[in-house]
Amino acid sequence: MSAEIPASREVPKKENRFKVWRQTRPFWAGLFTMIGGVPIAYLPYGDMRLGNVTLAMQTTAGAGALIIGVLLITLGLTMWFQPIVRVFAGVATIVLALVSIPVSNFGGLIIGYLFAVIGGGMSAAWAPAPPVEETDEAEADAEHDGQASEGAAPALDPETEAMVAAVFPEQREGAQPLTDTTIDAKGGRNSAG
């Protein structure tokens, strides 16, 4: 490979790399899941000061809430970096969000619960975009001009308005001669005899 030839057309520009990365995975689902994990994990250990008064929201199930919060953050990262397991991660996120209601101060004061359920649902519902087929520059130019290229549309016979057979590949018959067994097999189930 010489220095004049670019490495690939697939390499995105520097400013588009994050956009391409974000569009190939359930990005928002992972972000919502991680945002939901933070209040679920933090609130049982946090305290709030109002002047000289300290309000502690600690519960006896603090370790369970911490585990649920850390698992939600881990599932959010899994959605980002392993999008192939998005359905499992989404279902596990929804289950953990439901478990956080009794364990972690009503699911992180409902805020963490809502973010986690929305992120889990988005992850389970996300599907990758179909691959984009590359076209020739000539075909792309013809499409932009409103004209179809010569090979794009099948030719029609003006008298019968039927498609000309030259457009489709010719069907070849098998090189083997037809026997009674092969004739019978073509119309139904194949048999070994």
Side-chain angles (χ1 to χ4, degrees), residues 26-55:
F27 176 78
W28 294 108
L31 185 65
F32 282 168
T33 301
M34 287 187 280
I35 290 172
V38 170
I40 290 173
Y42 175 74
L43 286 179
Y45 293 102
D47 57 351
M48 195 163 66
R49 297 182 190 270
L50 296 173
N52 291 336
V53 179
T54 302
L55 296 173

PDB file of all heavy atoms in Angstrom, residues 26-55:
ATOM      1  N   PRO A  26     -26.898   0.818  21.368  1.00  0.00           N
ATOM      2  CA  PRO A  26     -27.968   1.510  22.103  1.00  0.00           C
ATOM      3  C   PRO A  26     -27.391   2.536  23.075  1.00  0.00           C
ATOM      4  O   PRO A  26     -27.374   2.344  24.295  1.00  0.00           O
ATOM      5  CB  PRO A  26     -28.695   0.368  22.825  1.00  0.00           C
ATOM      6  CG  PRO A  26     -27.688  -0.710  22.957  1.00  0.00           C
ATOM      7  CD  PRO A  26     -26.787  -0.582  21.768  1.00  0.00           C
ATOM      8  N   PHE A  27     -26.918   3.649  22.540  1.00  0.00           N
ATOM      9  CA  PHE A  27     -26.209   4.641  23.335  1.00  0.00           C
ATOM     10  C   PHE A  27     -27.100   5.247  24.411  1.00  0.00           C
ATOM     11  O   PHE A  27     -26.730   5.302  25.577  1.00  0.00           O
ATOM     12  CB  PHE A  27     -25.657   5.743  22.423  1.00  0.00           C
ATOM     13  CG  PHE A  27     -24.999   6.865  23.174  1.00  0.00           C
ATOM     14  CD1 PHE A  27     -23.729   6.704  23.683  1.00  0.00           C
ATOM     15  CD2 PHE A  27     -25.664   8.061  23.397  1.00  0.00           C
ATOM     16  CE1 PHE A  27     -23.118   7.728  24.386  1.00  0.00           C
ATOM     17  CE2 PHE A  27     -25.068   9.088  24.094  1.00  0.00           C
ATOM     18  CZ  PHE A  27     -23.791   8.916  24.593  1.00  0.00           C
ATOM     19  N   TRP A  28     -28.279   5.731  24.034  1.00  0.00           N
ATOM     20  CA  TRP A  28     -29.147   6.409  24.995  1.00  0.00           C
ATOM     21  C   TRP A  28     -29.663   5.437  26.047  1.00  0.00           C
ATOM     22  O   TRP A  28     -29.864   5.815  27.201  1.00  0.00           O
ATOM     23  CB  TRP A  28     -30.288   7.119  24.276  1.00  0.00           C
ATOM     24  CG  TRP A  28     -29.767   8.237  23.429  1.00  0.00           C
ATOM     25  CD1 TRP A  28     -29.702   8.274  22.070  1.00  0.00           C
ATOM     26  CD2 TRP A  28     -29.198   9.461  23.887  1.00  0.00           C
ATOM     27  NE1 TRP A  28     -29.125   9.448  21.659  1.00  0.00           N
ATOM     28  CE2 TRP A  28     -28.813  10.200  22.760  1.00  0.00           C
ATOM     29  CE3 TRP A  28     -28.975  10.013  25.151  1.00  0.00           C
ATOM     30  CZ2 TRP A  28     -28.230  11.452  22.847  1.00  0.00           C
ATOM     31  CZ3 TRP A  28     -28.394  11.256  25.230  1.00  0.00           C
ATOM     32  CH2 TRP A  28     -28.029  11.968  24.092  1.00  0.00           C
ATOM     33  N   ALA A  29     -29.888   4.205  25.669  1.00  0.00           N
ATOM     34  CA  ALA A  29     -30.320   3.200  26.649  1.00  0.00           C
ATOM     35  C   ALA A  29     -29.245   2.987  27.705  1.00  0.00           C
ATOM     36  O   ALA A  29     -29.539   2.929  28.903  1.00  0.00           O
ATOM     37  CB  ALA A  29     -30.638   1.887  25.938  1.00  0.00           C
ATOM     38  N   GLY A  30     -27.994   2.892  27.287  1.00  0.00           N
ATOM     39  CA  GLY A  30     -26.896   2.734  28.240  1.00  0.00           C
ATOM     40  C   GLY A  30     -26.736   3.951  29.129  1.00  0.00           C
ATOM     41  O   GLY A  30     -26.476   3.829  30.331  1.00  0.00           O
ATOM     42  N   LEU A  31     -26.904   5.140  28.552  1.00  0.00           N
ATOM     43  CA  LEU A  31     -26.778   6.368  29.338  1.00  0.00           C
ATOM     44  C   LEU A  31     -27.884   6.462  30.390  1.00  0.00           C
ATOM     45  O   LEU A  31     -27.604   6.757  31.559  1.00  0.00           O
ATOM     46  CB  LEU A  31     -26.810   7.588  28.415  1.00  0.00           C
ATOM     47  CG  LEU A  31     -26.579   8.934  29.100  1.00  0.00           C
ATOM     48  CD1 LEU A  31     -25.163   9.004  29.660  1.00  0.00           C
ATOM     49  CD2 LEU A  31     -26.824  10.060  28.118  1.00  0.00           C
ATOM     50  N   PHE A  32     -29.133   6.191  29.993  1.00  0.00           N
ATOM     51  CA  PHE A  32     -30.234   6.226  30.959  1.00  0.00           C
ATOM     52  C   PHE A  32     -30.052   5.181  32.056  1.00  0.00           C
ATOM     53  O   PHE A  32     -30.345   5.428  33.224  1.00  0.00           O
ATOM     54  CB  PHE A  32     -31.574   6.015  30.267  1.00  0.00           C
ATOM     55  CG  PHE A  32     -32.096   7.231  29.559  1.00  0.00           C
ATOM     56  CD1 PHE A  32     -33.153   7.127  28.684  1.00  0.00           C
ATOM     57  CD2 PHE A  32     -31.544   8.483  29.752  1.00  0.00           C
ATOM     58  CE1 PHE A  32     -33.646   8.237  28.022  1.00  0.00           C
ATOM     59  CE2 PHE A  32     -32.017   9.596  29.106  1.00  0.00           C
ATOM     60  CZ  PHE A  32     -33.082   9.476  28.229  1.00  0.00           C
ATOM     61  N   THR A  33     -29.550   4.006  31.688  1.00  0.00           N
ATOM     62  CA  THR A  33     -29.330   2.952  32.679  1.00  0.00           C
ATOM     63  C   THR A  33     -28.270   3.371  33.693  1.00  0.00           C
ATOM     64  O   THR A  33     -28.443   3.164  34.902  1.00  0.00           O
ATOM     65  CB  THR A  33     -28.919   1.643  31.982  1.00  0.00           C
ATOM     66  OG1 THR A  33     -29.962   1.273  31.069  1.00  0.00           O
ATOM     67  CG2 THR A  33     -28.702   0.535  32.971  1.00  0.00           C
ATOM     68  N   MET A  34     -27.187   3.961  33.222  1.00  0.00           N
ATOM     69  CA  MET A  34     -26.143   4.404  34.145  1.00  0.00           C
ATOM     70  C   MET A  34     -26.626   5.565  35.023  1.00  0.00           C
ATOM     71  O   MET A  34     -26.314   5.605  36.211  1.00  0.00           O
ATOM     72  CB  MET A  34     -24.885   4.802  33.369  1.00  0.00           C
ATOM     73  CG  MET A  34     -24.152   3.600  32.808  1.00  0.00           C
ATOM     74  SD  MET A  34     -22.577   4.028  32.074  1.00  0.00           S
ATOM     75  CE  MET A  34     -23.098   4.637  30.502  1.00  0.00           C
ATOM     76  N   ILE A  35     -27.388   6.490  34.442  1.00  0.00           N
ATOM     77  CA  ILE A  35     -27.941   7.592  35.244  1.00  0.00           C
ATOM     78  C   ILE A  35     -28.882   7.032  36.308  1.00  0.00           C
ATOM     79  O   ILE A  35     -28.910   7.514  37.440  1.00  0.00           O
ATOM     80  CB  ILE A  35     -28.652   8.614  34.336  1.00  0.00           C
ATOM     81  CG1 ILE A  35     -27.632   9.373  33.498  1.00  0.00           C
ATOM     82  CG2 ILE A  35     -29.492   9.589  35.151  1.00  0.00           C
ATOM     83  CD1 ILE A  35     -28.237  10.265  32.437  1.00  0.00           C
ATOM     84  N   GLY A  36     -29.652   6.005  35.963  1.00  0.00           N
ATOM     85  CA  GLY A  36     -30.542   5.380  36.929  1.00  0.00           C
ATOM     86  C   GLY A  36     -29.803   4.646  38.028  1.00  0.00           C
ATOM     87  O   GLY A  36     -30.275   4.564  39.164  1.00  0.00           O
ATOM     88  N   GLY A  37     -28.638   4.104  37.735  1.00  0.00           N
ATOM     89  CA  GLY A  37     -27.870   3.379  38.749  1.00  0.00           C
ATOM     90  C   GLY A  37     -27.248   4.274  39.801  1.00  0.00           C
ATOM     91  O   GLY A  37     -27.032   3.846  40.941  1.00  0.00           O
ATOM     92  N   VAL A  38     -26.966   5.518  39.455  1.00  0.00           N
ATOM     93  CA  VAL A  38     -26.302   6.424  40.406  1.00  0.00           C
ATOM     94  C   VAL A  38     -27.173   6.733  41.630  1.00  0.00           C
ATOM     95  O   VAL A  38     -26.729   6.541  42.757  1.00  0.00           O
ATOM     96  CB  VAL A  38     -25.819   7.708  39.689  1.00  0.00           C
ATOM     97  CG1 VAL A  38     -25.346   8.747  40.678  1.00  0.00           C
ATOM     98  CG2 VAL A  38     -24.720   7.373  38.699  1.00  0.00           C
ATOM     99  N   PRO A  39     -28.430   7.203  41.485  1.00  0.00           N
ATOM    100  CA  PRO A  39     -29.208   7.470  42.707  1.00  0.00           C
ATOM    101  C   PRO A  39     -29.560   6.204  43.479  1.00  0.00           C
ATOM    102  O   PRO A  39     -29.675   6.241  44.709  1.00  0.00           O
ATOM    103  CB  PRO A  39     -30.463   8.185  42.200  1.00  0.00           C
ATOM    104  CG  PRO A  39     -30.531   7.933  40.761  1.00  0.00           C
ATOM    105  CD  PRO A  39     -29.142   7.637  40.293  1.00  0.00           C
ATOM    106  N   ILE A  40     -29.725   5.103  42.787  1.00  0.00           N
ATOM    107  CA  ILE A  40     -30.031   3.855  43.478  1.00  0.00           C
ATOM    108  C   ILE A  40     -28.869   3.454  44.376  1.00  0.00           C
ATOM    109  O   ILE A  40     -29.060   3.005  45.506  1.00  0.00           O
ATOM    110  CB  ILE A  40     -30.399   2.756  42.469  1.00  0.00           C
ATOM    111  CG1 ILE A  40     -31.750   3.070  41.836  1.00  0.00           C
ATOM    112  CG2 ILE A  40     -30.429   1.385  43.128  1.00  0.00           C
ATOM    113  CD1 ILE A  40     -32.150   2.146  40.711  1.00  0.00           C
ATOM    114  N   ALA A  41     -27.649   3.624  43.890  1.00  0.00           N
ATOM    115  CA  ALA A  41     -26.473   3.244  44.685  1.00  0.00           C
ATOM    116  C   ALA A  41     -26.126   4.295  45.733  1.00  0.00           C
ATOM    117  O   ALA A  41     -25.652   3.963  46.816  1.00  0.00           O
ATOM    118  CB  ALA A  41     -25.275   3.023  43.760  1.00  0.00           C
ATOM    119  N   TYR A  42     -26.350   5.570  45.440  1.00  0.00           N
ATOM    120  CA  TYR A  42     -25.885   6.640  46.322  1.00  0.00           C
ATOM    121  C   TYR A  42     -26.821   6.933  47.488  1.00  0.00           C
ATOM    122  O   TYR A  42     -26.369   7.141  48.618  1.00  0.00           O
ATOM    123  CB  TYR A  42     -25.655   7.925  45.515  1.00  0.00           C
ATOM    124  CG  TYR A  42     -25.289   9.093  46.378  1.00  0.00           C
ATOM    125  CD1 TYR A  42     -24.022   9.186  46.936  1.00  0.00           C
ATOM    126  CD2 TYR A  42     -26.213  10.095  46.665  1.00  0.00           C
ATOM    127  CE1 TYR A  42     -23.676  10.250  47.745  1.00  0.00           C
ATOM    128  CE2 TYR A  42     -25.884  11.155  47.469  1.00  0.00           C
ATOM    129  CZ  TYR A  42     -24.616  11.231  48.016  1.00  0.00           C
ATOM    130  OH  TYR A  42     -24.284  12.271  48.826  1.00  0.00           O
ATOM    131  N   LEU A  43     -28.122   6.961  47.232  1.00  0.00           N
ATOM    132  CA  LEU A  43     -29.060   7.449  48.245  1.00  0.00           C
ATOM    133  C   LEU A  43     -29.050   6.669  49.563  1.00  0.00           C
ATOM    134  O   LEU A  43     -29.180   7.289  50.622  1.00  0.00           O
ATOM    135  CB  LEU A  43     -30.473   7.517  47.667  1.00  0.00           C
ATOM    136  CG  LEU A  43     -30.699   8.671  46.692  1.00  0.00           C
ATOM    137  CD1 LEU A  43     -32.099   8.655  46.143  1.00  0.00           C
ATOM    138  CD2 LEU A  43     -30.390  10.006  47.333  1.00  0.00           C
ATOM    139  N   PRO A  44     -28.887   5.357  49.590  1.00  0.00           N
ATOM    140  CA  PRO A  44     -28.835   4.696  50.898  1.00  0.00           C
ATOM    141  C   PRO A  44     -27.603   5.065  51.718  1.00  0.00           C
ATOM    142  O   PRO A  44     -27.587   4.877  52.933  1.00  0.00           O
ATOM    143  CB  PRO A  44     -28.813   3.213  50.548  1.00  0.00           C
ATOM    144  CG  PRO A  44     -29.439   3.123  49.220  1.00  0.00           C
ATOM    145  CD  PRO A  44     -29.047   4.386  48.508  1.00  0.00           C
ATOM    146  N   TYR A  45     -26.568   5.591  51.094  1.00  0.00           N
ATOM    147  CA  TYR A  45     -25.348   5.971  51.804  1.00  0.00           C
ATOM    148  C   TYR A  45     -25.222   7.470  51.983  1.00  0.00           C
ATOM    149  O   TYR A  45     -24.385   7.955  52.723  1.00  0.00           O
ATOM    150  CB  TYR A  45     -24.116   5.454  51.066  1.00  0.00           C
ATOM    151  CG  TYR A  45     -24.031   3.955  51.082  1.00  0.00           C
ATOM    152  CD1 TYR A  45     -24.391   3.202  49.969  1.00  0.00           C
ATOM    153  CD2 TYR A  45     -23.606   3.288  52.228  1.00  0.00           C
ATOM    154  CE1 TYR A  45     -24.324   1.838  49.996  1.00  0.00           C
ATOM    155  CE2 TYR A  45     -23.542   1.910  52.254  1.00  0.00           C
ATOM    156  CZ  TYR A  45     -23.908   1.191  51.140  1.00  0.00           C
ATOM    157  OH  TYR A  45     -23.847  -0.165  51.174  1.00  0.00           O
ATOM    158  N   GLY A  46     -26.017   8.232  51.263  1.00  0.00           N
ATOM    159  CA  GLY A  46     -25.883   9.681  51.299  1.00  0.00           C
ATOM    160  C   GLY A  46     -26.622  10.303  52.467  1.00  0.00           C
ATOM    161  O   GLY A  46     -27.485   9.697  53.098  1.00  0.00           O
ATOM    162  N   ASP A  47     -26.254  11.519  52.759  1.00  0.00           N
ATOM    163  CA  ASP A  47     -26.958  12.293  53.762  1.00  0.00           C
ATOM    164  C   ASP A  47     -27.066  13.737  53.271  1.00  0.00           C
ATOM    165  O   ASP A  47     -26.310  14.175  52.410  1.00  0.00           O
ATOM    166  CB  ASP A  47     -26.275  12.220  55.126  1.00  0.00           C
ATOM    167  CG  ASP A  47     -24.838  12.689  55.078  1.00  0.00           C
ATOM    168  OD1 ASP A  47     -24.320  12.913  53.975  1.00  0.00           O
ATOM    169  OD2 ASP A  47     -24.235  12.839  56.153  1.00  0.00           O
ATOM    170  N   MET A  48     -28.043  14.421  53.798  1.00  0.00           N
ATOM    171  CA  MET A  48     -28.288  15.780  53.359  1.00  0.00           C
ATOM    172  C   MET A  48     -28.235  16.694  54.582  1.00  0.00           C
ATOM    173  O   MET A  48     -28.787  16.380  55.627  1.00  0.00           O
ATOM    174  CB  MET A  48     -29.676  15.850  52.698  1.00  0.00           C
ATOM    175  CG  MET A  48     -29.911  17.084  51.909  1.00  0.00           C
ATOM    176  SD  MET A  48     -31.304  16.931  50.768  1.00  0.00           S
ATOM    177  CE  MET A  48     -32.678  16.780  51.873  1.00  0.00           C
ATOM    178  N   ARG A  49     -27.546  17.813  54.447  1.00  0.00           N
ATOM    179  CA  ARG A  49     -27.405  18.748  55.571  1.00  0.00           C
ATOM    180  C   ARG A  49     -28.267  19.980  55.316  1.00  0.00           C
ATOM    181  O   ARG A  49     -28.182  20.610  54.269  1.00  0.00           O
ATOM    182  CB  ARG A  49     -25.949  19.158  55.735  1.00  0.00           C
ATOM    183  CG  ARG A  49     -25.039  18.008  56.073  1.00  0.00           C
ATOM    184  CD  ARG A  49     -23.608  18.490  56.267  1.00  0.00           C
ATOM    185  NE  ARG A  49     -22.715  17.364  56.352  1.00  0.00           N
ATOM    186  CZ  ARG A  49     -22.387  16.757  57.484  1.00  0.00           C
ATOM    187  NH1 ARG A  49     -22.891  17.168  58.614  1.00  0.00           N
ATOM    188  NH2 ARG A  49     -21.562  15.744  57.472  1.00  0.00           N
ATOM    189  N   LEU A  50     -29.097  20.270  56.284  1.00  0.00           N
ATOM    190  CA  LEU A  50     -29.908  21.492  56.266  1.00  0.00           C
ATOM    191  C   LEU A  50     -29.520  22.302  57.489  1.00  0.00           C
ATOM    192  O   LEU A  50     -30.016  22.077  58.593  1.00  0.00           O
ATOM    193  CB  LEU A  50     -31.398  21.161  56.303  1.00  0.00           C
ATOM    194  CG  LEU A  50     -31.953  20.390  55.108  1.00  0.00           C
ATOM    195  CD1 LEU A  50     -33.385  19.992  55.354  1.00  0.00           C
ATOM    196  CD2 LEU A  50     -31.829  21.219  53.851  1.00  0.00           C
ATOM    197  N   GLY A  51     -28.577  23.204  57.326  1.00  0.00           N
ATOM    198  CA  GLY A  51     -28.046  23.963  58.459  1.00  0.00           C
ATOM    199  C   GLY A  51     -27.252  23.047  59.376  1.00  0.00           C
ATOM    200  O   GLY A  51     -26.277  22.441  58.960  1.00  0.00           O
ATOM    201  N   ASN A  52     -27.668  22.926  60.623  1.00  0.00           N
ATOM    202  CA  ASN A  52     -26.997  22.030  61.565  1.00  0.00           C
ATOM    203  C   ASN A  52     -27.662  20.657  61.644  1.00  0.00           C
ATOM    204  O   ASN A  52     -27.221  19.804  62.396  1.00  0.00           O
ATOM    205  CB  ASN A  52     -26.994  22.652  62.966  1.00  0.00           C
ATOM    206  CG  ASN A  52     -26.099  23.863  63.026  1.00  0.00           C
ATOM    207  OD1 ASN A  52     -25.170  23.980  62.224  1.00  0.00           O
ATOM    208  ND2 ASN A  52     -26.371  24.768  63.966  1.00  0.00           N
ATOM    209  N   VAL A  53     -28.728  20.458  60.882  1.00  0.00           N
ATOM    210  CA  VAL A  53     -29.463  19.196  60.919  1.00  0.00           C
ATOM    211  C   VAL A  53     -28.991  18.313  59.769  1.00  0.00           C
ATOM    212  O   VAL A  53     -28.917  18.745  58.619  1.00  0.00           O
ATOM    213  CB  VAL A  53     -30.986  19.455  60.805  1.00  0.00           C
ATOM    214  CG1 VAL A  53     -31.749  18.148  60.818  1.00  0.00           C
ATOM    215  CG2 VAL A  53     -31.450  20.378  61.900  1.00  0.00           C
ATOM    216  N   THR A  54     -28.666  17.074  60.089  1.00  0.00           N
ATOM    217  CA  THR A  54     -28.248  16.111  59.079  1.00  0.00           C
ATOM    218  C   THR A  54     -29.352  15.081  58.895  1.00  0.00           C
ATOM    219  O   THR A  54     -29.787  14.442  59.856  1.00  0.00           O
ATOM    220  CB  THR A  54     -26.951  15.392  59.503  1.00  0.00           C
ATOM    221  OG1 THR A  54     -25.946  16.376  59.704  1.00  0.00           O
ATOM    222  CG2 THR A  54     -26.515  14.423  58.449  1.00  0.00           C
ATOM    223  N   LEU A  55     -29.817  14.951  57.658  1.00  0.00           N
ATOM    224  CA  LEU A  55     -30.821  13.947  57.332  1.00  0.00           C
ATOM    225  C   LEU A  55     -30.112  12.763  56.696  1.00  0.00           C
ATOM    226  O   LEU A  55     -29.544  12.880  55.610  1.00  0.00           O
ATOM    227  CB  LEU A  55     -31.864  14.505  56.359  1.00  0.00           C
ATOM    228  CG  LEU A  55     -32.715  15.655  56.861  1.00  0.00           C
ATOM    229  CD1 LEU A  55     -33.562  16.198  55.733  1.00  0.00           C
ATOM    230  CD2 LEU A  55     -33.584  15.189  58.013  1.00  0.00           C
TER     231      LEU A  55
END
